[in-house]
Amino acid sequence: MLQKVGKRFLVRARFTWRSLFDDQFLLVTNTLTGGSLLAMGDVVQQSWEIHKEQSKVLDWKRIGYTFVMGCSTGPLLHHWYGRLDSAYAGRAMNTVVKKVLADQLIISPIIGIWYFIGMGLMEGDTLAEGWKDFKGKFWEYYKADCCVWPPVQMFNFYYVSPKYRVMYINVISLGWDVFLSYLKHRVSQPHRRLKRHFASRIVLLIV
């Protein structure tokens, strides 16, 4: 009896999983997974902040904002990968390299701008303040991006089926989402030339 129930559950779960990636539901799946995992990354980062400073509590508004930002990048990536696969069809190595370069040079900076300015606007910053924040952190963001994403995307474009591309990126990016949350909400340290531990003490005293 238990075996039959287990088999029925697995069949239903398999059917449900496949239906999530049907053409009519794929955009919704990509959108909601993007929002959920970006929010999860922020929860992880906030948990670390609370661990370091126990007077803090989870900022649910911030989590909500990251969910909105993740949902907004879902459709962007959904259509971007569709266009990229149409422009560069096949899995030849030179084709894969072209996709990785296009992804790195075009969509990565766009997502960075979208994230920093979008989060800033929702958190009460002006457009100019959001742009200034992005410019101040751009090279740190982009250098890390260039270290992480090219090998991830090589695997994506060579092995992963097109309908699973965004899901793959969303899952892999959970660690990256923690970094984004850290970078966006990091307290600026004006005394960067000082030794790290001494600078940290100054910042704590100021706060």
Side-chain angles (χ1 to χ4, degrees):
M1 181 65 181
L2 289 175
Q3 288 182 345
K4 289 183 178 180
V5 172
K7 286 182 179 179
R8 288 177 184 174
F9 174 78
L10 291 175
V11 169
R12 289 179 180 178
R14 185 179 180 184
F15 176 78
T16 302
W17 173 259
R18 285 186 173 182
S19 66
L20 291 174
F21 294 92
D22 288 342
D23 290 340
Q24 57 181 334
F25 297 121
L26 186 57
L27 178 58
V28 175
T29 300
N30 290 337
T31 299
L32 293 180
T33 54
S36 300
L37 289 166
L38 190 62
M40 192 181 299
D42 185 63
V43 169
V44 172
Q45 174 56 28
Q46 285 199 53
S47 298
W48 175 246
E49 294 170 7
I50 293 169
H51 173 74
K52 293 193 298 181
E53 188 176 340
Q54 295 184 0
S55 60
K56 286 188 174 183
V57 296
L58 279 178
D59 184 344
W60 289 100
K61 282 188 178 180
R62 176 173 145 184
I63 295 169
Y65 296 153
T66 56
F67 176 76
V68 171
M69 289 307 303
C71 286
S72 69
T73 57
L76 178 64
L77 292 176
H78 176 90
H79 293 294
W80 165 253
Y81 289 132
R83 294 291 180 87
L84 207 56
D85 287 329
S86 297
Y88 302 106
R91 293 192 303 170
M93 188 52 62
N94 63 336
T95 301
V96 171
V97 170
K98 288 177 183 178
K99 288 182 178 181
V100 171
L101 287 175
D103 192 77
Q104 200 62 36
L105 295 175
I106 298 173
I107 204 66
S108 288
I110 289 174
I111 288 178
I113 293 170
W114 186 263
Y115 175 79
F116 278 90
I117 292 181
M119 283 294 295
L121 289 173
M122 286 190 289
E123 292 176 339
D125 293 341
T126 64
L127 187 62
E129 288 171 336
W131 176 248
K132 182 179 179 181
D133 185 35
F134 173 71
K135 286 199 301 181
K137 297 173 180 176
F138 171 74
W139 286 114
E140 188 175 356
Y141 160 83
Y142 197 62
K143 283 188 291 185
D145 191 282
C146 288
C147 291
V148 172
W149 287 109
V152 170
Q153 294 291 39
M154 287 288 290
F155 184 92
N156 188 13
F157 294 130
Y158 192 81
Y159 290 107
V160 180
S161 172
K163 66 180 179 179
Y164 298 125
R165 289 208 199 287
V166 179
M167 173 64 81
Y168 166 79
I169 289 299
N170 287 338
V171 172
I172 294 295
S173 68
L174 180 58
W176 177 255
D177 295 339
V178 176
F179 169 73
L180 278 183
S181 179
Y182 156 76
L183 190 62
K184 175 68 183 72
H185 299 98
R186 182 182 61 196
V187 177
S188 60
Q189 297 183 9
H191 305 290
R192 287 179 181 271
R193 294 183 182 180
L194 298 176
K195 289 183 179 180
R196 187 172 181 181
H197 70 279
F198 186 60
S200 299
R201 291 180 183 178
I202 292 175
V203 172
L204 288 173
L205 287 173
I206 293 173
V207 174

